Amino acid sequence: MERENTIRQVGINDILDASERINAGITYTDKDIIVIEHLEDMTERGSVKLSKDMIMIIACLEGKMQVNLNAKLYTLHPYEVLICKPNIILGNYIPLYTTPTFSNQFT
């Protein structure tokens, strides 16, 4: 699927409202915290900008992944965590399947 060039702003409520449509794999929520297992559907239509009241923590549990934050490429390996501040632009999430059991979590 071709990515759009627009940047969409997202917050916790946007993720909750769209969770079924984007198949985010929410494993926990209490209105202030969301734990999801997949980010690829969130960035499939282009980059997203975290709302001013949202902090995202990306943890790679197995395998390897890459993500662009404010146009800078980051690679995460097992047990590494990336903390994303509000208003950061997140795009081009790529899970790199170096092992058959890749998984990650986002909060």
Side-chain angles (χ1 to χ4, degrees), residues 7-65:
I7 298 172
R8 298 170 292 120
Q9 182 146 340
V10 296
I12 290 177
N13 290 333
D14 299 314
I15 295 170
L16 286 173
D17 293 344
S19 64
E20 283 188 32
R21 181 179 47 78
I22 66 172
N23 189 26
I26 293 176
T27 58
Y28 175 81
T29 181
D30 70 2
K31 301 288 183 188
D32 291 323
I33 297 173
I34 301 173
V35 177
I36 63 175
E37 292 185 6
H38 309 285
L39 188 62
E40 53 266 44
D41 293 328
M42 193 167 137
T43 61
E44 181 179 38
R45 295 186 303 135
S47 297
V48 295
K49 182 177 181 180
L50 301 184
S51 68
K52 64 181 179 177
D53 61 349
M54 183 174 170
I55 295 172
M56 181 178 284
I57 300 170
I58 302 173
C60 181
L61 303 179
E62 295 177 350
K64 185 166 66 170
M65 62 172 283

Side-chain angles (χ1 to χ4, degrees), residues 59-63 76-81:
C60 181
L61 303 179
E62 295 177 350
L76 272 69
H77 298 90
Y79 309 110
E80 291 183 339
V81 174

